Amino acid sequence: MTEVALANLPEWDLSDLYPSRTSPELIEDLDTAARDAKAFAEQYKGKLTELDGQGLYLAIAKYEEIGEMEGRIMSYAYLVYAGNMSDPDIGKFFQTMQEKISAIGTDLLFFTLELNRVEEDRLQAMYEASSLKKYEPWLNNVRALKPYQLSDDIEKLLHEKDISGRSAWVRLFDETIAGLKFEIDGEEMASQQALHLLSNPNAEVRKKAAKSIGKVFGENVRLFSLITNTLAKDKAIEDEWRAAPEPATMRHLSNQVEADVVNALSKAVQDAYPRLSHRYYAIKAKWMGQDKIDYWDRNAPLPDSDDRVIPWDEARDTVLEAYGRFSPELSELGKEFFEKPWIDASVRPGKSPGAFAHPTVPSVHPYLLLNYQGNIRDVMTLAHELGHGVHQLLAAPQGGLLADTPLTLAETASVFGEQLTFRALLEKETDPDKRRIMLAGKVEDMLNTVVRQIAFYEFERRLHDARKEEELSPDQIGKIWMDVQKESLGPAIRLHDEYQYYWSYIPHFIHSPFYVYAYAFGDCLVNALYAIYQEAESGFQDKYFDMLKAGGTLRHKELLAPFNLDASDPAFWSKGLSVIEGFIDELEAL
């Protein structure tokens, strides 16, 4: 049944980017980008302070055009690589593209550095009589980094060494994870398949999977510890040179969010652990007839859960119908991903684990990667990634420099898509037992998004702080991990020794340090937004589309103002968390 239900899963066709790794179009774009970058440097290096407003506008427009070409090349290279990280030829191609694009970037590096030398008064005057105003949000983001900017030579060195430094360690992590094999009942599996079994209805299967995962991660923990230590030290050195006050500072800047807003979110969630995760897992343990449950039962289906495999076509129709109930336009945008080869959903050896939506460049379209195995969480993951994809389509007209949404708001459309899908399914369900199981599943997803991600953020904070003092042994990292897990999961979850290695597969710690709080930010934000949607008589959809179309042109205060929401108000986070608490109250009543 599983094989039939999961037959004919879509795989993407990347030819909208380039026909192949050796195509003339790709080679020509590489040559053009390299040539244009050198010409750009000749024309503008050392001369930005001489330009008027319109001249600077034209310079930024050209910079954006070259960046679009670079982005197209690297999007293609990464997506090919994500499709099969264990193929050495593909790995070589990906590394070669990174090196070539890095060299092109070296010629362009001067531009943002020199922009920060333009006096503020002069820049403000330049906005008045030119088209430059279009790029003001981007210039504001560039200039936010001014206090942390180093000399041109040091910035150039950091840029050029990234390819043999940080990027190389990230690649080592990716290829190691993709190549790991987990033996369960005599069958070899990739990491995404083994982790998927932690949601299996059979308790013995969950336990075997958990033990195998712990064993393999434990056998590789020295390598993962070396990668983590090296990247944390690398970050600490750069942060010290830049005089960044804390390890998360540069992430907050790129997210266009103030540190005190993130601190308020983190504190609100940590204060709510007893009311949320501790209480829910105690209820779940009781449902499962135990005082405590083992960590491998945390995401176990509840007794009497629907464990059927959901075919891909049903998952697609469920999500698009839910989107359509909110807005036919949203559903039509989503449908395009299924009608065209923009989704890669099958599970196969060497493929990147997990799921993502890659925006590529505004002139093409996003691509979605999933590892679809047919459970209800996979349907929610589809709703989530499709939300990202639709958001990226709507923001694309802003152009290469302004389409990217900061991470704090990048999770809005994805989590909202999940919420729409869940609410649509819940409304259809009339059986009280099935409603209870659906509500429990939603609570678990929200705990994974809010509590779990803030715990991950706290783990990173403690790890980076400890790494400033000394290199951390696997045991030290494991202890930080276990301490944070005990605090966040509570006394109803029994953690076994091998769980100390489970930090090692989280890609965000390696790819994007301190990324993880964006998920909690997005979930609490969407809870508040959804409450307003339920109360709104009309006009909400238009405001919502305007927010998505804005891309990176507005900060969170400006984007949320039309909804009378303010993320800098501590009460805002309490409002978002109260939605999860309300679901748990309802479950207790049931």
Side-chain angles (χ1 to χ4, degrees):
M1 169 60 192
T2 305
E3 287 76 13
V4 174
L6 298 181
N8 302 316
L9 288 172
E11 293 187 9
W12 57 31
D13 177 355
L14 301 177
S15 58
D16 284 349
L17 290 164
Y18 293 103
S20 74
R21 305 200 304 268
T22 56
S23 65
E25 293 92 333
L26 175 59
I27 294 161
E28 185 181 338
D29 276 0
L30 272 170
D31 290 344
T32 303
R35 197 166 52 245
D36 286 0
K38 288 196 181 302
F40 183 83
E42 279 178 31
Q43 185 174 358
Y44 290 112
K45 194 169 186 178
K47 300 169 190 167
L48 291 195
T49 53
E50 301 165 14
L51 298 176
D52 61 10
Q54 196 62 20
L56 187 54
Y57 164 78
L58 292 172
I60 296 173
K62 184 62 184 176
Y63 178 80
E64 182 175 45
E65 183 187 312
I66 300 168
E68 168 103 2
M69 213 176 300
E70 291 178 290
R72 188 185 191 110
I73 293 163
M74 277 319 301
S75 296
Y76 176 72
Y78 180 72
L79 292 173
V80 168
Y81 178 61
N84 189 354
M85 291 176 161
S86 58
D87 183 318
D89 288 338
I90 288 174
K92 178 183 175 182
F93 167 71
F94 178 54
Q95 178 69 15
T96 301
M97 291 303 104
Q98 281 190 304
E99 291 178 10
K100 287 183 182 296
I101 294 301
S102 177
I104 293 167
T106 301
D107 286 328
L108 299 172
L109 187 63
F110 78 93
F111 191 58
T112 51
L113 302 178
E114 289 191 22
L115 279 174
N116 281 341
R117 296 195 192 108
V118 178
E119 293 297 327
E120 188 61 30
D121 291 349
R122 183 155 185 274
L123 187 62
Q124 292 302 320
M126 290 163 82
Y127 288 134
E128 300 306 317
S130 69
S131 309
L132 186 62
K133 193 78 176 166
K134 172 188 172 182
Y135 290 114
E136 185 177 13
W138 178 75
L139 282 163
N140 288 341
N141 293 336
V142 170
R143 290 170 78 78
L145 297 169
K146 185 177 179 177
Y148 308 101
Q149 188 170 297
L150 302 172
S151 72
D152 290 12
D153 283 347
I154 293 176
E155 292 287 0
K156 184 181 178 188
L157 177 67
L158 288 171
H159 174 82
E160 290 188 350
K161 279 187 69 63
D162 181 77
I163 204 75
S164 59
R166 189 181 178 285
S167 293
W169 288 99
V170 171
R171 181 183 168 196
L172 175 61
F173 169 83
D174 286 343
E175 293 188 6
T176 303
I177 286 286
L180 292 180
K181 294 286 181 281
F182 302 80
E183 189 173 315
I184 301 162
D185 282 338
E187 184 183 348
E188 272 199 350
M189 298 183 178
S191 62
Q192 62 266 39
Q193 293 168 300
L195 289 161
H196 178 73
L197 291 179
L198 296 179
S199 302
N200 190 282
N202 186 312
E204 196 54 36
V205 170
R206 292 195 299 272
K207 181 178 179 179
K208 284 179 181 175
K211 294 292 184 183
S212 176
I213 291 165
K215 177 175 178 289
V216 174
F217 288 157
E219 289 167 352
N220 290 274
V221 75
R222 286 186 62 200
L223 175 59
F224 290 129
S225 297
L226 176 60
I227 293 169
T228 300
N229 269 293
T230 303
L231 288 174
K233 184 63 177 176
D234 180 74
K235 187 177 192 318
I237 292 167
E238 186 169 330
D239 283 347
E240 190 172 340
W241 273 83
R242 294 191 186 283
E246 59 165 317
T249 295
M250 304 312 286
R251 173 65 59 204
H252 299 334
L253 282 168
S254 68
N255 284 351
Q256 300 164 38
V257 66
E258 301 76 17
D260 57 350
V261 171
V262 179
N263 292 339
L265 162 65
S266 184
K267 184 177 188 310
V269 174
Q270 291 184 64
D271 288 348
Y273 284 167
R275 306 195 308 274
L276 301 178
S277 45
H278 296 190
R279 183 159 67 115
Y280 173 75
Y281 293 128
I283 295 169
K284 183 165 187 174
K286 195 184 297 182
W287 283 341
M288 297 180 82
Q290 301 171 47
D291 292 330
K292 291 186 173 191
I293 54 176
D294 296 296
Y295 73 86
W296 53 77
D297 292 332
R298 190 173 57 80
N299 287 323
L302 292 174
D304 304 320
S305 289
D306 178 7
D307 63 349
R308 72 190 179 90
V309 175
I310 300 162
W312 176 256
D313 289 355
E314 184 183 333
R316 174 198 64 205
D317 294 347
T318 298
V319 173
L320 289 178
E321 185 184 319
Y323 275 38
R325 287 180 61 191
F326 171 74
S327 158
E329 185 185 346
L330 196 69
S331 183
E332 283 301 311
L333 285 165
K335 196 181 292 181
E336 201 170 358
F337 285 82
F338 298 95
E339 291 174 346
K340 295 173 180 173
W342 297 357
I343 304 178
D344 194 318
S346 65
V347 180
R348 53 183 189 272
K351 181 179 172 182
S352 176
F356 63 72
H358 195 307
T360 73
V361 287
S363 59
V364 187
H365 55 76
Y367 282 96
L368 310 186
L369 179 140
L370 306 165
N371 281 277
Y372 187 81
Q373 297 177 72
N375 64 20
I376 192 68
R377 276 205 173 90
D378 289 340
V379 178
M380 291 300 164
T381 299
L382 174 61
H384 181 102
E385 299 306 339
L386 190 65
H388 276 308
V390 167
H391 191 175
Q392 290 158 359
L393 280 180
L394 287 169
Q398 297 288 356
L401 294 179
L402 295 168
D404 272 358
T405 309
L407 290 179
T408 39
L409 294 156
E411 294 299 331
T412 305
S414 54
V415 179
F416 198 82
E418 281 187 75
Q419 189 77 274
L420 291 172
T421 304
F422 169 72
R423 300 276 186 167
L425 290 170
L426 189 67
E427 281 175 31
K428 282 183 187 174
E429 190 51 71
T430 54
D431 183 306
D433 284 338
K434 288 183 178 175
R435 278 182 67 84
R436 176 175 68 95
I437 287 164
M438 286 182 69
L439 268 174
K442 183 59 178 170
V443 166
E444 290 187 14
D445 287 344
M446 293 171 104
L447 293 178
N448 284 335
T449 304
V450 177
V451 168
R452 194 118 173 97
Q453 302 302 328
I454 288 300
F456 285 176
Y457 177 59
E458 183 61 21
F459 167 73
E460 285 190 276
R461 285 171 63 116
R462 294 184 195 180
L463 183 141
H464 282 262
D465 284 345
R467 181 64 182 94
K468 287 177 188 172
E469 305 302 320
E470 60 181 349
E471 175 159 308
L472 304 175
S473 69
D475 287 347
Q476 286 174 295
I477 299 176
K479 184 177 186 314
I480 296 170
W481 172 257
M482 294 294 263
D483 287 346
V484 169
Q485 294 304 305
K486 283 171 189 164
E487 291 164 18
S488 61
L489 297 175
I493 300 283
R494 193 183 293 112
L495 302 176
H496 295 246
D497 283 350
E498 72 277 357
Y499 194 65
Q500 68 181 294
Y501 306 124
Y502 270 63
W503 59 270
S504 59
Y505 78 95
I506 312 292
H508 299 91
F509 298 159
I510 304 299
H511 289 194
S512 311
F514 303 102
Y515 178 110
V516 287
Y517 71 74
Y519 290 109
F521 197 109
D523 200 276
C524 290
L525 172 60
V526 164
N527 288 341
L529 267 182
Y530 200 89
I532 290 166
Y533 165 54
Q534 288 180 302
E535 296 159 10
E537 304 223 345
S538 64
F540 179 91
Q541 284 88 338
D542 290 340
K543 288 181 190 174
Y544 180 74
F545 270 86
D546 286 344
M547 180 171 70
L548 300 189
K549 288 174 182 174
T553 61
L554 300 173
R555 295 177 76 90
H556 62 84
K557 272 187 182 294
E558 301 159 310
L559 284 169
L560 296 178
F563 304 97
N564 295 315
L565 294 172
D566 181 2
S568 62
D569 179 357
F572 172 82
W573 302 115
S574 302
K575 185 185 297 186
L577 295 172
S578 68
V579 173
I580 310 175
E581 203 172 345
F583 281 157
I584 299 173
D585 291 342
E586 194 175 336
L587 280 171
E588 272 194 321
L590 286 169

